[in-house]
């Protein structure tokens, strides 16, 4: 496999519901990535596009829609969906195309426009699409799943409501320093604990909402482009995992889960991260920055364990001891995390990788981690989707 | 449970009340021993021959493995005649079957919920349809 570098990154800042359409957001991100890479559009030899599911034809063929705006060149365009790990899939395909020698320079992008109102069932056939059942029969929006797991964790490891609130406090502090974040208000533990329960034990400020945003990266193996680039960042591994038999986690959209664990919790993320460690030869002990998927405060804690940054049940202590702060041993989510951004499904995994890359390039202003060399982005998607990307400078 | 002869499940093949008590409709794979709920949510052990999958009913009672209290109304297509918020959602463990199943908690003081509480499967009426039938789902309640 050839060495592959990120040479350009672009983001459309995260926002709420918008009258604008996905291509308005995507073009901003892709323009930014091309400009940062210092290359013209015609250098792109393949396009790996994350799709978004509420966009009809445009949503399912985002790559073609985007290509026609920048000018159709006949290159391979693949549109991919892996729930909230969609962007991981796009980056992985771009990486594989370049590393394997199919193409030299590839674009991966995702843009997601949140629908107005609630996310809910997308079909009416409960036999084929069991997602219908949780909406019609058990009234379980996504945070219910996280709350069920969070309650188990609190009973098993003694995670407290203060721990859950402290995650939001940290994330809001970092989000306030990130111009691309959607939420910039800083909260105290007291304020978080005064926010209403959405699904006990999780409160309003401890779960992330749905957002709109776009992100794009240009990756290449072309030596000339790499030499012209401003601080290229090497991709050491970019992997995806799916669930393993016996994983006790109740997965979003499922109505049941195994009572006797035979695999780790969030096994899709366990798998993706272990594949990345193996492929890169880099382990948790070498990583200077971690961007993890804090869909809720529970995720922040459990992901430290799932990805091997501490033993099971020890994440709360890491948090309380300040080990996950900027300036400490393992800065976690210096971007402000999903808590400060909200989910923009097909874009968020790419944005996480961009945060990692730009931290390594020293471009993160008030939230900059001092001199990082190795960073890791970890995603979480419903129904057993996950991706891990490790980058170095 | 209301008048059982005049009830219809909003989605069929999830809960059975033909014997007079509410039981969840599962499937068991005789080859790998795994129970599935709903029946079509196959989750075979890798390498399983997938032979001998048969319909089974889960026991009526299980233990509360986790729960949450949802404070906001669930958006459509969820539908109830009366607003049920705040409502409990429980994860009930059927020990011998090695499976935990989620469902709305009904007829139970939510403040009294504790992990390990013995729960039983029941029927929750959500609304009446045009034929004046009660449209129902399964639910769990604490055993008194
Ligand atoms: Zn089987």
């Amino acid at each position: 496999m050839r060495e592959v570098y990120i040479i350009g990154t672009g983001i459309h800042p995260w926002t709420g519901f918008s009258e604008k359409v996905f291509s308005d957001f995507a073009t901003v991100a892709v323009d930014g990535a091309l400009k940062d890479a210092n290359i013209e559009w015609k250098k792109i030899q393949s396009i790996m596009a994350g799709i978004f599911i509420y966009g009809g034809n445009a949503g399912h063929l985002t790559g073609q829609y985007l290509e026609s705006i920048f000018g159709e060149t006949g290159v391979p365009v693949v549109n991919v969906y892996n729930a909230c790990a969609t962007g991981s899939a796009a980056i992985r395909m771009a990486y594989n195309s370049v590393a394997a020698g199919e193409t030299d320079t590839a674009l991966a992008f995702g843009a997601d426009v949140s629908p107005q109102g609630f996310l809910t069932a997308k079909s009416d056939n409960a036999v084929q699409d069991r997602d219908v059942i949780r909406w019609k029969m058990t009234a379980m929006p996504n945070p219910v799943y996280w709350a069920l797991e969070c309650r188990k964790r609190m009973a098993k490891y003694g995670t407290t409501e203060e721990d859950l609130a402290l995650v939001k406090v940290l994330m809001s502090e970092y989000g306030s320093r990130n111009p691309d974040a959607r939420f910039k208000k800083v909260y105290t533990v007291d304020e978080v604990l005064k926010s209403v329960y959405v699904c006990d034990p999780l409160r309003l400020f401890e779960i992330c909402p749905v957002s709109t945003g776009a992100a794009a990266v240009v990756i290449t193996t072309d030596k000339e482009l790499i030499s012209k680039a401003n601080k290229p960042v090497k991709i050491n591994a970019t992997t995806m995992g799916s669930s393993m038999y016996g994983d006790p986690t109740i997965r979003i959209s499922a109505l049941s889960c195994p009572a006797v664990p035979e695999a780790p919790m969030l096994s899709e993320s366990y798998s993706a991260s272990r594949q990345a460690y193996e492929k890169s030869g880099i382990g948790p002990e070498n990583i200077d920055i971690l961007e993890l998927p804090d869909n809720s405060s529970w995720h922040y804690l459990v992901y430290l364990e799932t990805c091997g940054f501490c033993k099971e049940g020890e994440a709360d202590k890491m948090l309380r001891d300040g080990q996950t702060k900027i300036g400490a041993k393992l800065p976690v989510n210096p971007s402000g995390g999903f808590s400060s951004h909200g989910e923009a499904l097909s874009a968020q995994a790419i944005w996480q990788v961009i945060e990692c890359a730009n931290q390594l390039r020293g471009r993160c202003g008030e939230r900059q981690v001092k001199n990082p060399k190795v960073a890791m982005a970890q995603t979480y998607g419903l129904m057993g989707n996950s991706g891990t990307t490790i980058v170095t400078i | 449970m209301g008048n059982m002869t005049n009830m219809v499940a909003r989605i069929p093949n999830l809960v059975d009340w033909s014997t007079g008590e509410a039981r969840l409709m599962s499937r068991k794979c005789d080859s790998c021993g795994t129970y599935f709920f709903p029946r079509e949510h196959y989750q075979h052990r890798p390498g399983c021959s997938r032979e001998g999958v048969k319909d089974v009913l889960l026991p009526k009672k299980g233990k509360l493995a986790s729960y949450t209290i949802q404070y906001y109304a669930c958006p459509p297509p969820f539908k109830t005649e009366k607003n049920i918020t705040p409502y409990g959602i429980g994860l009930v463990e059927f020990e011998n079957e090695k499976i935990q199943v989620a469902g709305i908690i009904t007829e139970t003081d939510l403040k009294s919920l504790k992990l390990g509480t013995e729960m039983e499967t029941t029927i929750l009426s959500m609304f009446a349809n045009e034929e004046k039938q009660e449209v129902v789902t399964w639910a769990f309640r604490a055993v008194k």
Side-chain angles (χ1 to χ4, degrees):
Chain A
M1 299 287 257
R2 307 192 290 177
E3 292 204 332
V4 178
Y5 288 82
I6 295 172
I7 56 168
T9 65
I11 282 180
H12 185 295
W14 261 229
T15 173
F17 172 74
S18 169
E19 295 291 342
K20 292 197 286 184
V21 297
F22 107 88
S23 49
D24 298 331
F25 293 93
T27 47
V28 169
V30 172
D31 262 331
L34 292 170
K35 196 168 164 220
D36 182 27
N38 195 23
I39 66 167
E40 54 175 19
W41 172 251
K42 284 187 281 187
K43 285 279 186 191
I44 299 295
Q45 295 169 2
S46 64
I47 300 168
M48 304 304 178
I51 76 158
F52 72 106
I53 52 179
Y54 291 95
N57 196 39
H60 290 92
L61 296 168
T62 52
Q64 272 74 15
Y65 271 72
L66 182 98
E67 188 193 22
S68 82
I69 293 168
F70 283 84
E72 291 167 335
T73 54
V75 301
V77 174
V78 183
N79 303 287
V80 65
Y81 181 65
N82 282 83
C84 299
T86 292
S88 304
I91 290 182
R92 180 178 171 278
M93 290 194 304
Y95 172 88
N96 283 344
S97 172
V98 172
E102 183 200 34
T103 58
D104 290 336
T105 303
L107 170 74
F109 82 95
D112 217 297
V113 183
S114 68
Q116 206 164 9
F118 293 103
L119 301 182
T120 176
K122 292 170 280 294
S123 89
D124 204 28
N125 183 336
V127 175
Q128 176 169 281
D129 175 11
R130 62 181 164 270
D131 193 51
V132 177
I133 302 173
R134 60 127 165 181
W135 292 111
K136 286 192 174 178
M137 302 295 267
T138 58
M140 292 168 69
N142 294 1
V144 163
Y145 289 84
W146 308 336
L148 289 171
E149 291 296 345
C150 191
R151 170 108 39 213
K152 282 186 178 176
R153 178 181 179 88
M154 292 168 94
K156 196 168 174 189
Y157 299 124
T159 300
T160 65
E161 296 219 27
E162 285 73 21
D163 294 331
L164 301 176
L166 186 53
V167 172
K168 175 63 180 181
V169 170
L170 267 188
M171 293 299 90
S172 70
E173 168 62 33
Y174 300 161
S176 76
R177 306 181 200 171
N178 184 349
D180 294 328
R182 175 177 168 193
F183 303 104
K184 300 198 173 77
K185 183 172 165 6
V186 179
Y187 291 93
T188 64
V189 169
D190 259 9
E191 286 168 330
V192 179
L193 289 176
K194 278 186 188 133
S195 73
V196 293
Y197 282 122
V198 171
C199 37
D200 182 353
L202 293 174
R203 295 173 184 275
L204 184 61
F205 295 154
E206 295 164 354
I207 57 175
C208 81
V210 176
S211 289
T212 292
V217 289
V218 174
I219 68 171
T220 190
T221 190
D222 183 322
K223 293 206 165 54
E224 198 190 319
L225 297 184
I226 294 167
S227 69
K228 278 199 312 187
N230 180 0
K231 297 187 183 166
V233 172
K234 185 179 171 185
I235 300 180
N236 293 70
T238 183
T239 60
M240 289 201 77
S242 60
S243 302
M244 293 151 74
Y245 178 87
D247 177 345
T249 322
I250 181 147
R251 257 170 252 158
I252 291 178
S253 108
L255 284 309
S256 68
C257 59
V260 180
E262 291 192 38
M265 283 200 70
L266 295 165
S267 55
E268 64 277 19
S269 298
Y270 177 89
S271 170
S273 59
R274 296 319 185 275
Q275 290 177 57
Y277 300 153
E278 167 121 26
K279 285 205 166 106
S280 64
I282 290 168
E285 66 283 2
N286 312 115
I287 287 163
D288 301 324
I289 293 173
L290 173 64
E291 281 287 330
L292 56 69
D294 58 318
N295 295 55
S296 73
S297 291
W298 168 72
H299 291 78
Y300 183 102
L301 295 168
V302 72
Y303 263 92
L304 289 168
E305 297 165 9
T306 297
C307 295
F309 288 87
C310 62
K311 293 201 188 96
E312 254 189 66
E314 291 182 353
D316 315 81
K317 186 170 186 318
M318 272 184 85
L319 172 73
R320 289 174 205 154
D321 291 352
Q323 293 178 44
T324 59
K325 287 182 175 176
I326 293 176
K329 187 164 158 260
L330 177 71
V332 172
N333 293 3
S335 65
F338 290 9
S339 171
S340 306
H341 286 76
E343 287 204 274
L345 253 73
S346 69
Q348 63 204 35
I350 297 174
W351 149 69
Q352 287 179 295
V353 170
I354 291 176
E355 175 72 14
C356 287
N358 287 342
Q359 284 282 351
L360 299 185
R361 298 158 108 187
R363 290 184 180 182
C364 289
E366 290 177 47
R367 66 183 193 284
Q368 179 65 47
V369 174
K370 203 176 166 193
N371 260 329
K373 301 287 178 216
V374 186
M376 169 166 150
Q378 176 66 46
T379 62
Y380 154 83
L382 63 78
M383 279 193 67
N385 285 288
S386 181
T388 306
T389 301
I390 295 177
V391 290
T392 56
I393 198 159
Chain B
M1 291 195 271
N3 173 8
M4 292 212 218
T5 55
N6 198 32
M7 299 192 311
V8 58
R10 187 162 182 208
I11 297 175
N13 298 323
L14 292 163
V15 59
D16 177 85
W17 59 84
S18 62
T19 61
E21 61 176 21
R23 306 268 296 270
L24 292 167
M25 299 167 75
S26 172
R27 267 185 190 140
K28 185 196 178 189
C29 173
D30 276 341
S31 298
C32 69
T34 313
Y35 283 77
F36 311 122
F37 184 84
R39 301 193 309 188
E40 294 83 9
H41 188 181
Y42 299 113
Q43 290 189 287
H44 291 280
R45 185 181 287 277
C48 174
S49 66
R50 310 196 310 278
E51 283 163 12
V53 176
K54 61 180 192 223
D55 290 345
V56 291
L57 297 178
L58 293 178
K60 183 176 169 64
K61 291 178 184 174
K63 288 215 164 95
L64 193 63
S66 190
Y67 67 93
T68 177
I69 299 162
Q70 168 77 17
Y71 284 87
Y72 288 81
C74 185
F78 189 69
K79 183 178 159 187
T80 48
E81 223 143 59
K82 291 179 208 142
N83 179 12
I84 62 165
T85 49
Y87 59 97
I89 298 275
L91 200 49
V92 171
E93 177 160 332
F94 299 94
E95 194 181 355
N96 291 334
E97 293 71 19
K98 298 180 184 167
I99 191 170
Q100 297 178 354
V101 178
I104 295 172
I105 297 172
T106 186
E107 299 169 47
T108 304
D109 173 17
L110 296 177
K111 288 198 180 73
S112 74
L113 290 173
K114 280 196 189 70
L115 301 190
T117 299
E118 189 174 34
M119 305 293 286
E120 62 186 0
T121 313
T122 185
I123 299 289
L124 175 66
S125 179
M126 295 188 286
F127 55 90
N129 64 15
E130 285 176 3
E131 289 82 46
K132 302 268 163 53
Q133 291 170 298
E134 286 182 50
V135 179
V136 304
T137 185
W138 80 89
F140 299 115
R141 67 181 173 206
V143 175
K144 288 198 177 106

